[in-house]
Amino acid sequence: MIIPKVYQFGPHVIPESQVFFKSKFCIGLVNLKPITPGHILVVSRRNVPRVKDLNPEEIADIMMSAQTIGNVVEKQFGCTSLTTVIQDGPQAGQTVPHNWEAGARCE
């Protein structure tokens, strides 16, 4: 029996089939409730409550990944601009708690 690979994002289990991008410290996936066409998520493989809990290498990787993915989104949708948002905490609009299971990691 083959067990499919999954990723943990807060309380959500993300199947491998929804992940379109992988780097050392993050994954890229399509938002299941997109606000606009091309709405994607770049999330840390390590579940932590806030951006301040990521180390500098993780933050750099996430931003470089967002840039790489953004270039593809612009080409795919024929646009020349992007909105990049970090919703870091409930008062900033974050709706998914990122530290659902302490110590959980996306593999």
Side-chain angles (χ1 to χ4, degrees):
M1 180 169 137
I2 297 174
I3 299 172
K5 188 169 190 169
V6 296
Y7 300 88
Q8 187 75 38
F9 176 53
H12 302 287
V13 176
I14 310 298
E16 175 82 20
S17 62
Q18 290 181 328
V19 175
F20 67 84
F21 178 89
K22 296 180 202 174
S23 72
K24 183 174 181 180
F25 295 109
C26 70
I27 58 173
L29 56 133
V30 175
N31 191 319
L32 294 179
K33 296 180 182 176
I35 294 171
T36 61
H39 183 178
I40 57 96
L41 300 172
V42 179
V43 300
S44 172
R45 289 179 180 256
R46 186 165 65 95
N47 287 304
V48 296
R50 304 275 313 277
V51 170
K52 67 182 180 181
D53 300 312
L54 296 170
N55 66 48
E57 192 176 13
E58 290 169 315
I59 291 170
D61 182 68
I62 288 170
M63 292 307 294
M64 290 187 301
S65 296
Q67 181 185 45
T68 298
I69 293 166
N71 290 337
V72 173
V73 169
E74 282 190 6
K75 288 178 186 170
Q76 179 68 34
F77 289 90
C79 57
T80 59
S81 301
L82 299 169
T83 300
T84 304
V85 177
I86 298 174
Q87 293 178 314
D88 190 22
Q91 288 80 25
Q94 178 183 331
T95 57
V96 175
H98 295 177
N99 64 329
W100 181 255
E101 293 182 45
R105 282 184 66 89
C106 292
E107 307 238 350

